[in-house]
Amino acid sequence: MSKILILVVEDDAPVRNLITTTLKAHDYRYIAAATGEGAVMETASHNPDIVLLDLGLPDLDGVEVIRRIRTWSNVPILVISARSEDTDKIDALDAGADDYLTKPFSVEELLARLRVTQRRLALMQGSNPQPSVFVNGQLKIDYASGCAFLGGEELHLTPIEYKLLCLLARNMGKVLTHKYITQSVWGSSWENDVASLRVFMATLRKKLEGPPGSPQYIQTHIGIGYRMVKIE
Ligand code: CA
């Protein structure tokens, strides 16, 4: 199996070195860029498997870099941002980023996110992109019949809960923003109704809860959105 190639985009040299050293130590191949223009160019010429993108770059806005890359590529993009840049993070996810890391982050955190992204990459490259049955751990969705099951038991979901579950399932591994979810499920007029979304998510999660100690299928990203986690 060929090694995963990662493009590291970071203008801060010490942070860039920390990341590339970590990647090297864990058997990843990497290339690096220090500017937004450089990021777009490297993505086009080297076709990396994953892009690690710092949002605060000297020339182009990181969100603009994502928009440009997304005009031709679906490469998973993991954004790196400072704690103060929450809005940028949301804009980045809305522009097509897959996940984010907040600075300062640990090496373990970086590696964990890369593993999540690699699993998502493997799913994207799967032979059947639109399977009629979704399975994750004890959770099963039969899209054709419109039914969902947990451990073989049918889940009694409202139409909105079912739509939410399918949206998260189809994007497993990816963080979906509140705005993206409300737009997809209700249309644009609901865009800012995060309070209602929280209520529906709470009832959905309750129904997805198994016995104590069971895995959590849906992860909350406070102030940002939700993600369906792949159960090992
Ligand atoms: Ca920076």
Side-chain angles (χ1 to χ4, degrees), residues 10-12 54-58 103:
E10 170 65 77
D11 59 319
D12 186 343
D54 174 36
L55 285 182
L57 295 167
K103 281 184 195 172

Side-chain angles (χ1 to χ4, degrees), residues 16 22 25 36 83-84 95 100 109 113-114 116 126 133 175 191 200 205-206 211:
R16 193 173 60 235
T22 304
R83 232 168 253 294
S84 55
Y100 63 88
E109 223 178 323
R113 290 312 169 83
L114 285 175
V116 168
V133 175
V175 179
E191 199 174 282
F200 285 110
R205 295 174 89 153
K206 211 163 170 55

